[in-house]
Amino acid sequence: MVTDFKFRNFGLYLGVFYLALTGGGGCNLFTDFPSTNTDQAIIDTATNEIDQSQWTAAIATLQTLSPATLATESVQLLLATAYAGRGGLNLLSLSNTIQNTAGLPFFVVLMKAFPGATNANIADEISAEGIMQGINLNAANRTNDENVFMVFMEMAKLGDILSARADTLNDGVVDPTFDACVDTSIADVNQVAASIGNIIASVQASGLTVGAGLIGTLTAKCAQLGGACAILQASQVLLDSAQQILTQTLIGETALGIGLAEPLRTGVCEIPPAGTNCDASGSGACPPL
């Protein structure tokens, strides 16, 4: 449940969003870069653009770096930050939404946190995810700061998907006709599965306390979710697999206190064994996509 979120030391998490900025006391996260004034000037410009939420400009600026510098881990993190920001990630806004919606299901909170999300926003978060996984797919091989960033970026991707599909009126309320079994595509479901897996892996690797209750609930249900908790990339989800079918069901369920609780499906399409006969599937789970 969302009440398990603990935003202690939130300034730290906000700082993660600007990891590329030069820190206090003369610490510079870019000391491992080639010592070329031109590349450093480009990095400084992009950092300033990110600080001013000029996401598209920052992405374009970073793309002018020399290939060697652009491939550096710290620059890749900076690029992922720019894509995530353009996709809608704002840690202060997300924190406020979480704190003001205590008790609501996790997916509802994320839907509310990203009103008016578009396919372009979703694509940007997917790009940010790909960049971070280019640093390393295995959370255990990423730094704590990178994993903290990964958690919030994946929340943004989930929020964008849920908002774009379930809140088309942009009023913070699940559309009365929304049906997760019908209104989420294969691509959506696969991305949701990947986000869940990445959140769990990144939280466990970093020791972050955010969403501890949610993660405990999901990991306890992994057997029922067809191993969905281990999915890290959308391409890993098999067509018509239990992972895909049950992840789609998870989007709308109420029994675990995670889903959107869509008005048409409450108490019907639930993670088995809680639900019954979902869209003539013969079980509580959505039928195959």
Side-chain angles (χ1 to χ4, degrees):
M1 293 294 292
V2 175
T3 50
D4 293 305
F5 278 66
K6 292 178 172 55
F7 275 82
R8 58 181 185 176
N9 299 325
F10 181 73
L12 169 63
Y13 306 145
L14 187 60
V16 169
F17 195 60
Y18 297 102
L19 275 174
L21 292 174
T22 299
C27 175
N28 191 323
L29 294 177
F30 296 107
T31 53
D32 58 333
F33 294 160
S35 57
T36 59
N37 292 331
T38 299
D39 275 358
Q40 186 61 59
I42 292 171
I43 291 167
D44 291 342
T45 297
T47 299
N48 289 333
E49 288 167 340
I50 287 176
D51 194 28
Q52 298 173 50
S53 300
Q54 297 176 358
W55 313 118
T56 300
I59 292 168
T61 297
L62 290 169
Q63 297 293 349
T64 67
L65 286 165
S66 64
T69 303
L70 181 60
T72 306
E73 184 170 334
S74 296
V75 172
Q76 286 293 291
L77 180 56
L78 186 61
L79 184 61
T81 298
Y83 272 107
R86 193 171 71 174
L89 177 58
N90 180 308
L91 291 184
L92 185 58
S93 176
L94 178 57
S95 171
N96 287 336
T97 300
I98 290 173
Q99 292 174 349
N100 293 331
T101 53
L104 292 179
F106 179 60
F107 283 174
V108 174
V109 173
L110 294 184
M111 182 195 75
K112 287 177 175 290
F114 297 90
T118 65
N119 287 335
N121 295 135
I122 297 169
D124 280 334
E125 300 300 348
I126 292 172
S127 293
E129 177 188 86
I131 292 167
M132 294 303 298
Q133 292 184 336
I135 292 174
N136 206 291
L137 181 62
N138 188 342
N141 294 329
R142 295 193 296 261
T143 68
N144 279 1
D145 286 342
E146 289 167 351
N147 280 320
V148 170
F149 172 76
M150 192 78 168
V151 170
F152 290 109
M153 180 274 295
E154 293 291 358
M155 288 183 184
K157 190 181 82 171
L158 282 173
D160 284 344
I161 292 171
L162 298 170
S163 173
R165 307 296 179 249
D167 182 21
T168 60
L169 299 178
N170 300 330
D171 58 3
V173 178
V174 179
D175 293 344
T177 59
F178 176 72
D179 181 349
C181 294
V182 175
D183 299 323
T184 51
S185 67
I186 291 174
D188 291 336
V189 172
N190 293 353
Q191 291 296 340
V192 169
S195 286
I196 291 171
N198 280 305
I199 288 172
I200 291 173
S202 297
V203 167
Q204 290 176 338
S206 66
L208 190 64
T209 58
V210 171
L214 163 72
I215 290 169
T217 298
L218 285 173
T219 52
K221 293 291 183 178
C222 270
Q224 290 175 274
L225 295 174
C229 297
I231 295 293
L232 299 178
Q233 295 176 304
S235 60
Q236 295 175 343
V237 184
L238 301 178
L239 182 65
D240 291 342
S241 64
Q243 299 164 344
Q244 193 175 62
I245 293 167
L246 294 174
T247 298
Q248 187 180 42
T249 308
L250 185 68
I251 294 172
E253 68 80 39
T254 61
L256 301 181
I258 295 169
L260 295 176
E262 66 262 270
L264 294 177
R265 299 299 181 194
T266 301
V268 179
C269 296
E270 304 281 355
I271 298 297
T276 58
N277 199 26
C278 181
D279 286 335
S281 67
S283 76
C286 295
L289 277 71

